[in-house]
Amino acid sequence: MRAPFQILAIPYRRSGNQTLYCVFRRAKPVQWQFIAGGGEDDEKPLEAAKREIWEESGITADTVFALTSTSCIPTSIFPNLRSYNWPPDTYVIPEYAFAFPCEETVKLSAEHTDFAWLSYEEAVERLTWDSNKTALYELHCRLADGNVDIGTEERELCTR
């Protein structure tokens, strides 16, 4: 059963003196975003993030860290909402953001038709959702400040 939360995972890599971020083009609806998906059964957000990273990109991410950024997603965007068996007054669910360094080759799932490694400015321009832009902003600032060790796997957010 789908758990009542969403994850967002941002792949990034260094290319020379620039950081690039991998954005994905969803097949339906057509939109650009980072890796996203829901928890399953009793998964914790970090577990869901690692599974979604594998399912959507074919990458086994060993180092995944939590960002501070969280958003709320309206449940109206989920086409099979009634099948989730959530309480009827569940109008929004939290979206937890994560990031991971990625040097592997991306292998697209059927959910996506394309991906692109982009600079911060290019990624902000291409992304559809504000929650993705906000999480990207936080990650970009952390990387620029050398402050990426704040989110470790043991961090409390990841065990919710």
Side-chain angles (χ1 to χ4, degrees):
M1 181 177 11
R2 183 158 189 326
F5 69 84
Q6 180 90 349
I7 66 89
L8 179 71
I10 306 174
Y12 69 91
R13 67 169 51 150
R14 297 290 295 167
S15 178
N17 62 353
Q18 185 178 34
T19 302
L20 300 177
Y21 306 92
C22 191
V23 297
F24 296 79
R25 183 174 185 233
R26 287 195 75 79
K28 291 183 184 177
V30 175
Q31 58 196 18
W32 287 88
Q33 65 182 60
F34 294 117
I35 294 168
E40 294 179 357
D41 300 318
D42 293 330
E43 273 184 325
K44 303 291 185 216
L46 177 62
E47 296 165 331
K50 288 183 175 184
R51 179 185 46 73
E52 288 289 345
I53 290 166
W54 169 251
E55 289 176 2
E56 294 190 21
S57 70
I59 293 167
T60 303
D62 295 322
T63 304
V64 177
F65 62 90
L67 296 170
T68 304
S69 299
T70 58
S71 295
C72 288
I73 307 297
T75 57
S76 61
I77 70 165
F78 300 106
N80 300 322
L81 181 60
R82 294 190 190 280
S83 69
Y84 296 154
N85 213 17
W86 295 342
D89 64 346
T90 305
Y91 303 111
V92 296
I93 59 170
E95 178 183 65
Y96 301 105
F98 297 87
F100 65 100
C102 178
E103 297 300 329
E104 294 181 46
T105 302
V106 172
K107 298 177 187 112
L108 289 179
S109 72
E111 291 180 49
H112 303 282
T113 59
D114 199 5
F115 70 94
W117 286 98
L118 303 173
S119 69
Y120 172 77
E121 293 79 12
E122 293 167 325
V124 167
E125 186 68 28
R126 184 137 347 155
L127 290 167
T128 302
W129 304 105
D130 286 342
S131 67
N132 284 226
K133 294 175 186 182
T134 301
L136 174 61
Y137 172 78
E138 178 190 350
L139 175 60
H140 188 69
C141 290
R142 290 191 178 287
L143 292 169
D145 290 345
N147 188 11
V148 293
D149 62 346
I150 123 133
T152 65
E153 292 184 31
E154 293 77 31
R155 193 160 164 218
E156 183 177 331
L157 170 68
C158 301
T159 60
R160 287 185 185 167

